[in-house]
Amino acid sequence: MGCLGPRSLNKKDEDERRHFGRAGRRRPARSGRLARRNGRGAGQERDLADHRRRQLQHLGRGDLRPLRRARVGGLRRFRRPALHEHLPADDRPVEHIGDMAVDAGKALGIVSSVYWSHATPAAFGAQNASRNNYAEIAKQMVEEGEASVIMGGGHPFFDDNGEYRTPASERAFQYVGGSETFLDLATGGTDYRFIDSREQFEALASGELELAADDKVLGTFRTGSTLQAYRDGEDGGGFIETVPDLATMTRGALNVVERDEDGFFLMVEGGAVDWMAHQNNLPRIIEEQVDFNRAVEAAVEWVEAESSWDETLVIVTTDHGNGLMLGPRSGEVPFQPIENQGAGQLPLARWHTDNHTNELVRLHAHGAGAENISELADQRDYGLGFYGKEGDQQLYLDNTELFDAMVAAMGLSPATQPSDMAAIA
């Protein structure tokens, strides 16, 4: 979820504004390569469905970091499995939208339900040759201090169940920049005010945590990985009581970034839903989605109470699919929808992989600048007809165009990017 805050946006005449999608229309954003469009006709539908299923399972495998960078840096890099990271010849870092917001005098906020140095938060707050260099990424985020607020997991002194542990080695500190960086954080040796208890997160969200006017906040909740998803068990219940929820973290982050009179860019990620899809764990996916939905509600409530839709834009989307979850008989009935069993019952579904998939993903946007996104959704995927989508519901935009729309909404001017980063086919 992205939130572009007050005074970050270009004003337009009120009669020129029109809200995204008109009457709640949902338009998907492209996640990766163009989905196949042809193959229409009753005799070809099953073959096309089989082809698209194989295509989603095969093309979607691997590291999706290029798709995140396409969204936040405006570049697309397609990688074959045999290729390594492709960097500019002179190793210049790619400027991302967080850089641009800060350079324009706006506040930057980064929030995740997983490690704050993981792929998505890192894409908004750091540059590195590999997403797996967690310690380097976290160290850069702390030392450069671009973000006014950073929140996520990876606490070295707590396990996945929120139980205290003694770190066994330096590896336990990798997600927070190494033991030296974490010691500096915990003892006030950085530019960040460090918080980690549920009570501190809740105090920040309620406005009761005292902050100096220029205080930055780095919150690492007390688990080694996720808010709730990696706790013992596979079903619901048994929640960890010592961590905040994502909505509380969202409110707290908004209380930090809203202090900037020039506006802000806030990214909030419900990251563990992807991890649960890798496990094909339907109960925990639902759990994670509910938590994320409440975070979106918190952002909407803030807009309506503290700002307005005339000066703030909220975008909700994802960078890729995972698992290709369809109906219980989708192996025989192509594109069969998931079957709703009613309140209190898990839906009936079938997984087709435990890895990333390449289907178009939904994008929702509302507020000032949303018309930029709507206008860019001018490509059509007729294959969405298999999902019962017709007319304008088949329109989509490219992931790099979402970057363009956000930049336009905030009135930013991206720096010239290295030409040899344009595309790798």
Side-chain angles (χ1 to χ4, degrees):
M1 174 175 61
C3 189
L4 314 185
R7 294 169 295 280
S8 349
L9 303 166
N10 284 335
K11 291 286 187 179
K12 290 188 177 181
D13 292 338
E14 200 64 36
D15 57 5
E16 292 180 350
R17 294 192 184 281
R18 67 176 186 276
H19 288 308
F20 167 73
R22 296 187 301 277
R25 181 176 299 139
R26 297 172 176 176
R27 289 177 176 170
R30 179 180 180 180
S31 178
R33 295 177 181 172
L34 180 63
R36 182 174 175 177
R37 297 181 179 182
N38 51 13
R40 304 283 285 180
Q44 296 175 307
E45 288 188 2
R46 182 176 294 273
D47 290 341
L48 174 59
D50 291 340
H51 167 79
R52 286 172 64 86
R53 186 181 297 114
R54 291 192 300 271
Q55 182 187 52
L56 292 176
Q57 291 175 345
H58 175 69
L59 293 181
R61 295 186 185 277
D63 181 10
L64 270 290
R65 181 70 179 271
L67 301 184
R68 297 184 187 94
R69 185 58 73 199
R71 273 203 335 266
V72 303
L75 300 175
R76 176 178 298 106
R77 297 179 291 159
F78 292 123
R79 292 205 299 246
R80 298 188 183 93
L83 297 178
H84 298 289
E85 293 280 352
H86 295 279
L87 299 173
D90 58 1
D91 288 340
R92 279 178 293 168
V94 176
E95 184 183 43
H96 53 71
I97 199 165
D99 291 327
M100 286 180 258
V102 172
D103 288 345
K106 306 178 192 305
L108 170 65
I110 300 170
V111 176
S112 180
S113 65
V114 301
Y115 322 125
W116 49 263
S117 55
H118 202 253
T120 296
F124 289 85
Q127 294 99 347
N128 198 283
S130 172
R131 58 174 284 176
N132 296 319
N133 291 336
Y134 298 112
E136 293 178 12
I137 289 167
K139 187 177 177 67
Q140 179 190 353
M141 293 171 76
V142 172
E143 291 184 348
E144 293 189 357
E146 277 201 331
S148 298
V149 58
I150 301 170
M151 294 180 182
H155 204 301
F157 285 91
F158 293 87
D159 65 17
D160 292 345
N161 292 305
E163 299 292 334
Y164 180 83
R165 67 181 177 186
T166 300
S169 68
E170 180 67 21
R171 183 177 175 82
F173 294 87
Q174 64 176 324
Y175 302 116
V176 291
S179 58
E180 195 172 317
T181 298
F182 186 75
L183 178 62
D184 288 342
L185 275 170
T187 58
T190 73
D191 291 337
Y192 286 95
R193 168 82 174 271
F194 180 75
I195 65 174
D196 66 350
S197 71
R198 174 174 175 170
E199 291 75 18
Q200 288 174 314
F201 280 99
E202 290 176 344
L204 180 63
S206 66
E208 298 174 0
L209 186 70
E210 292 186 8
L211 295 176
D214 58 349
D215 272 354
K216 298 178 180 179
V217 176
L218 196 152
T220 304
F221 52 76
R222 292 180 176 177
T223 75
S225 53
T226 66
L227 279 172
Q228 299 287 348
Y230 267 11
R231 72 188 188 279
D232 287 346
E234 295 184 0
D235 297 328
F239 290 104
I240 302 169
E241 300 294 337
T242 54
V243 296
D245 58 16
L246 194 59
T248 298
M249 294 166 67
T250 301
R251 294 186 188 98
L254 283 165
N255 282 343
V256 176
V257 296
E258 73 171 357
R259 300 177 301 171
D260 195 314
E261 294 182 355
D262 297 313
F264 62 81
F265 180 94
L266 173 64
M267 189 286 299
V268 178
E269 179 198 28
V273 67
D274 176 60
W275 299 12
M276 294 301 97
H278 281 299
Q279 297 182 10
N280 291 175
N281 187 331
L282 182 55
R284 293 269 167 108
I285 281 180
I286 294 172
E287 201 176 271
E288 289 298 311
Q289 193 61 50
V290 168
D291 191 47
F292 179 75
N293 289 352
R294 289 171 178 163
V296 175
E297 289 175 359
V300 169
E301 288 169 0
W302 180 89
V303 173
E304 295 180 345
E306 305 295 335
S307 178
S308 75
W309 294 112
D310 292 330
E311 61 178 5
T312 301
L313 171 64
V314 174
I315 299 170
V316 181
T317 189
T318 184
D319 49 0
H320 57 78
N322 192 335
L324 193 60
M325 184 168 59
L326 295 168
R329 297 180 301 282
S330 53
E332 297 75 40
V333 182
F335 302 99
Q336 184 203 22
I338 296 168
E339 293 184 2
N340 185 1
Q341 293 293 98
Q345 301 294 322
L346 288 176
L348 299 179
R350 172 178 173 173
W351 298 92
H352 290 266
T353 179
D354 60 1
N355 214 327
H356 294 162
T357 50
N358 202 49
E359 68 266 35
L360 294 172
V361 298
R362 286 183 172 180
L363 185 153
H364 308 257
H366 190 63
E371 67 275 7
N372 297 329
I373 301 172
S374 184
E375 290 167 1
L376 288 169
D378 58 0
Q379 302 179 72
R380 186 178 297 276
D381 184 357
Y382 293 98
L384 289 172
F386 291 113
Y387 294 95
K389 306 299 182 184
E390 301 295 339
D392 284 355
Q393 290 183 320
Q394 295 179 350
L395 295 175
Y396 68 92
L397 71 156
D398 191 88
N399 47 21
T400 57
E401 292 177 312
L402 181 56
F403 166 84
D404 295 336
M406 292 189 294
V407 166
M410 290 194 291
L412 301 177
S413 298
T416 302
Q417 302 285 17
S419 60
D420 53 350
M421 288 289 289
I424 297 174

